[in-house]
Amino acid sequence: MSRPDLLLRLAELRVKNPALRLHALVDGLLYQECQQDAPLLGEPGTMAVLAGTIDDHLFDAGPWVIDYELVPPPLRTAVLCAEKSMPTAVTWIIAPLDIEALAEMLRARIDVSLPDGQTAMLRFWDPRTLAIIGRDLDASQRHEFFGEIVEWHFALDGRHVHIARRHADAH
């Protein structure tokens, strides 16, 4: 099982940048609810974003980066099934980063400072939050947040949406 639309888009983008990779960003808690027979822990091509952070105790329930080309076919199928049954459980990232570099980049974006000085966890792996981020950040914030991500794809209100690098660069 695969996402032909994303694989086609990846192939198109690789014409200009062969280093691009397709990653799934999976909400660990939602994934566990619908895919208990295909655990992420210990699988090649998977990395818990919260591992090694102050929220390490939540690593299994937090976001997981999955290198779609490195994981075994049964795990690919499980991720796609999770996306189909719970669209907010999976987003897709196309970037020229390996799994470790992407996880590190995402770790740096989890905690945000609130105006009152408190720190909050920014649940950017949830498509509803990601859409607000793409819409409401100013140009420099958007550019900084998306970093080296070329495109971020997700389902929102029954439609397929993506935020492209050019959107961050154009504002």
Side-chain angles (χ1 to χ4, degrees), residues 89-103:
V90 181
T91 65
W92 299 90
I93 296 172
I94 298 175
L97 303 171
D98 64 22
I99 192 170
E100 292 87 7
L102 181 57

Side-chain angles (χ1 to χ4, degrees), residues 99-155:
I99 192 170
E100 292 87 7
L102 181 57
E104 190 59 36
M105 187 196 100
L106 295 172
R107 278 184 195 111
R109 284 146 178 80
I110 288 178
D111 292 330
V112 294
S113 296
L114 300 176
D116 66 1
Q118 293 185 47
T119 300
M121 180 182 282
L122 180 63
R123 292 183 45 86
F124 55 78
W125 54 95
D126 183 318
R128 298 162 295 195
T129 302
L130 186 57
I132 293 168
I133 291 169
R135 182 191 71 210
D136 291 353
L137 294 181
D138 68 30
S140 64
Q141 292 169 325
R142 199 171 19 257
H143 188 77
E144 183 178 337
F145 180 82
F146 288 97
E148 293 186 60
I149 294 172
V150 173
E151 291 185 357
W152 204 325
H153 295 255
F154 52 96

Side-chain angles (χ1 to χ4, degrees), residues 40-61:
L40 298 171
L41 185 61
E43 287 294 327
T46 67
M47 182 167 286
V49 176
L50 295 180
T53 71
I54 194 166
D55 296 309
D56 186 77
H57 62 286
L58 301 171
F59 83 91
D60 58 334

